[in-house]
Amino acid sequence: MGHGSASPFRRAAIALALGLVSVLEVLYVTSGPIAVGVDSILWRRFAGGGRLREAVTVPLPALRRLDGGRLAIDARAPTAADRPVAVSVDGDPPSRVALSPGSRVWLALPTRERDGADVVLRPEGRAAVDGLVVAVGPETGRAVVAGVTIALVALLLLRTRPMAEALGLALFAAGGVGLGCIPGWILLGWPGGGTVWRLAVPLLAATAGLALALGRAGHRRSSVARLALLMAAGLFGCGVRAFFLPSAGSWDVDYWRTAMLEATAHGLGHAYGGPADVPEGHFLAQLRGRERVSAPQVLGRPIVVNYPPLAVSLWTASWRLAESRAVRLETIEAQALATKLPPLAGDLAAVALLLWIHRARPWRAATLAAVYWATPVSWINSAVQGYQDGAYAPLVVLALAAASGGHGFWAGAALGVAAMIKLPALLVAPAVAGALIASVPAGPAARRLATAALGGLLTSTAAFLPFARAGTLPAALVHVNSIWLPGPASGGSPNLWWLAGQALAIARRGASVLDRVTFVPHDVLPVPAYAIGRVLWASSAVAIVWLQRRRPGLRPAALAAATLVFTYAMLATGVYENHIHPLFLLLLAGGLVTRRGRLVAAAAAVVYVLDVLAMSGLGRFYTMRYALLLPLAPVWDELRMGLGFDLTVALAVVNLGLLVAWWTGLPAALRTPMDAPDPAYRRPQAVA
């Protein structure tokens, strides 16, 4: 049977049937009853393992409570007969349950909006508890979304693939969606039978589907395997983001929350403070960092909000959405989620951009998009740590695309919007200028550069208008400008100044070369580090414009911008570990068509992820939703120091070597066209 040979009605019927299978699967994996026994992860973590004879509080994180539920005490040993246990849920008055071997007394879980439950068990006399049994209703909302998604995927596959391959791949996707829908509280019951089966059903579905697709693929087996891998990458990227979005993230998330709550409470125009926060005659002193700027106390300590106005606007809008929609989350989880929605939107936009940029090479486009979506270079920055680099990175690519087409105003406007989310977007301005100079439309380059500057100026001005109307423009300017002021030699980025800081500690304090690297202010170094870093970067910007001047197109522009970001991250002072993030989207936008480019990109990505984990781990976890990850907290320090020396020192050496390798291969990379052959792609052929 050839591609799409079935009638439209038959394809629709099969797709609906597969969607219904997915609905039933998700209804099953999201519901109870689930036994949380003495050998389960949850029981060992909070009740110490073994039979319970003393009072203990057992949390049930992420338990859905919108429809209530039921709770039973498990006691299988005959010695427990007729011995009572006091059970209290969420601090309510306790209920006394008489334990009877072989039978269960069910208690009602009260309905509430927020997820989770705290169950206090207090055995009386000689009573002993063997575990809990939890039963809640299935999550119909997840099931409906999953069913519609699988039906659409199946319909698309049935139109483009042979019947057996389409059915197998759709079933594989349904299994993956089912796995992603399993709630965290069910996983904590492992290795209980209920948990095992809720894992086994989607795993069996995915395995059977993949076996069916590969078994009937014949000579197309590599194509089917690659498509299945792309589907798995997409599902994994969705799942890992959904899991981490409510987490507290990095310490910087508290800055975003401060700005968000200030703007919500007092209006956007007062997000940075009031009109009196910059007294007359003190503006220049605060702008230059000679006086401290005002710091709102929202989360128990003074916090300077130094992100531009558009970022604050996005967080505030996200918080309004989270307040009304994320009612199942704790307040701190909803606030963290709100600050992470802009970079999440950026990740989605980045995937769409990569698919559009490389649309002439479908396999390449899908592969590059999957690499960005599924690997930690994107989601560890956005969903895990909550950094905002992913929110502006796609706008930088849009600015480069507009500049490559000679559209100066729109290039400047896009770059201006990116800068109003995070000022380091301006680092790629020389690459935008180089692309405009090299673009082929008629007209002098100076005019295109002038219109680009106008576009950037207009968007930046518009972002600050609410503060001008509120009389708080000076406060907004000094806060936003503070991000450029000199700070540490390195803020955790494994670069030249990270090594210089360690060398200073060895020379002046007698530290060992094996000791942990500490943060060092730039002005304690024996050289003018801040000025040297800026001069090195400015020199690279001049070289980039010179190399780019006769290389029109998006690929040279993306590579030039990537070089500017990489050079800044390695040679400038005050760079933090997350600032290099846009490098990877820019490299993927450039296509990675050279061997050197692929090797440098892969190595830099590994260094980046290891550095973020060594410095910050997987962020902070304030709620029991992440009970499975709490034991990992010391692992990241062991990663950093477990080899007997600070791993970040080795990462800095590798990074500097990668920078040299990149610069030496840059001229050849700029000459390599975007449409280099893509041997992996083969246009589908009809089959008998």
Side-chain angles (χ1 to χ4, degrees), residues 25-114:
E25 177 192 43
V26 174
L27 291 176
Y28 174 69
V29 301
T30 57
S31 63
I34 298 295
V36 182
V38 295
D39 295 326
S40 68
I41 295 174
L42 184 68
W43 200 262
R44 293 198 304 271
R45 176 71 175 82
F46 295 100
R51 304 188 72 206
L52 176 65
R53 300 179 185 275
E54 298 178 354
V56 69
T57 300
V58 180
L60 297 172
L63 179 70
R64 185 174 184 267
R65 299 283 297 280
L66 287 174
D67 301 320
R70 298 185 301 158
L71 176 72
I73 309 301
D74 223 5
R76 298 182 179 85
T79 58
D82 301 323
R83 289 172 180 161
V85 173
V87 183
S88 175
V89 179
D90 298 333
D92 291 342
S95 302
R96 296 178 77 249
V97 178
L99 302 180
S100 299
S103 63
R104 290 171 177 165
V105 177
W106 290 95
L107 301 175
L109 284 170
T111 300
R112 75 172 189 179
E113 285 188 335
R114 290 181 178 172

Side-chain angles (χ1 to χ4, degrees), residues 42-416:
L42 184 68
W43 200 262
R44 293 198 304 271
R45 176 71 175 82
F46 295 100
R51 304 188 72 206
L52 176 65
R53 300 179 185 275
E54 298 178 354
V56 69
T57 300
V58 180
L60 297 172
L63 179 70
R64 185 174 184 267
R65 299 283 297 280
L66 287 174
D67 301 320
R70 298 185 301 158
L71 176 72
I73 309 301
D74 223 5
R76 298 182 179 85
T79 58
D82 301 323
R83 289 172 180 161
V85 173
V87 183
S88 175
V89 179
D90 298 333
D92 291 342
S95 302
R96 296 178 77 249
V97 178
L99 302 180
S100 299
S103 63
R104 290 171 177 165
V105 177
W106 290 95
L107 301 175
L109 284 170
T111 300
R112 75 172 189 179
E113 285 188 335
R114 290 181 178 172
D115 287 349
D118 287 326
V119 181
V120 178
L121 303 174
R122 190 180 302 275
E124 299 179 5
R126 298 176 60 189
V129 178
D130 292 312
L132 299 173
V133 182
V134 185
V136 296
E139 300 204 22
T140 54
R142 287 192 189 187
V144 170
V145 171
V148 172
T149 301
I150 294 303
L152 292 175
V153 169
L155 191 62
L156 178 63
L157 289 169
L158 288 165
R159 288 175 58 88
T160 57
R161 314 291 302 190
M163 179 66 72
E165 292 180 22
L167 291 175
L169 289 170
L171 191 59
F172 173 76
V177 168
L179 279 175
C181 287
I182 298 177
W185 70 272
I186 287 181
L187 296 176
L188 290 172
W190 177 272
T195 301
V196 169
W197 281 111
R198 279 157 184 79
L199 284 166
V201 167
L203 281 172
L204 289 172
T207 303
L210 187 59
L212 174 62
L214 291 174
R216 301 295 298 273
H219 65 278
R220 298 180 306 278
R221 185 168 296 175
S222 62
S223 173
V224 171
R226 188 171 185 181
L227 185 54
L229 187 61
L230 291 174
M231 294 169 67
L235 291 171
F236 175 77
C238 292
V240 74
R241 284 171 173 81
F243 179 76
F244 278 106
L245 278 173
S247 72
S250 69
W251 286 105
D252 283 0
V253 170
D254 289 350
Y255 289 76
W256 324 155
R257 291 169 58 209
T258 297
M260 178 180 73
L261 296 177
E262 282 288 283
T264 301
H266 307 294
L268 177 62
H270 291 79
Y272 301 100
D277 284 356
V278 183
E280 186 176 354
H282 291 257
F283 175 71
L284 289 179
Q286 292 192 13
L287 197 69
R288 296 172 181 172
R290 296 176 181 174
E291 292 183 6
R292 293 182 63 86
V293 300
S294 60
Q297 296 208 29
V298 177
L299 302 173
R301 67 183 191 276
I303 295 178
V304 176
V305 179
N306 57 11
Y307 264 56
L310 185 53
V312 181
S313 300
L314 292 173
W315 297 329
T316 307
S318 298
W319 175 230
R320 294 194 186 99
L321 178 65
E323 271 193 306
S324 61
R325 298 291 184 180
V327 295
R328 293 175 55 181
L329 301 179
E330 298 291 336
T331 300
I332 192 171
E333 292 178 331
Q335 290 174 355
L337 169 70
T339 65
K340 294 178 181 181
L341 287 181
L344 173 64
D347 287 350
L348 292 168
V351 168
L353 269 175
L354 290 172
L355 293 174
W356 172 72
I357 290 170
H358 302 288
R359 60 193 180 279
R361 298 286 189 273
W363 277 123
R364 179 187 295 172
T367 301
L368 294 176
V371 165
Y372 188 79
W373 179 252
T375 58
V377 294
S378 61
W379 53 259
I380 203 170
N381 183 281
S382 56
V384 176
Q385 299 289 358
Y387 295 126
Q388 303 298 308
D389 307 270
Y392 79 84
L395 291 166
V396 165
V397 177
L398 277 178
L400 294 168
S404 301
H407 307 294
F409 179 83
W410 296 113
L415 188 60

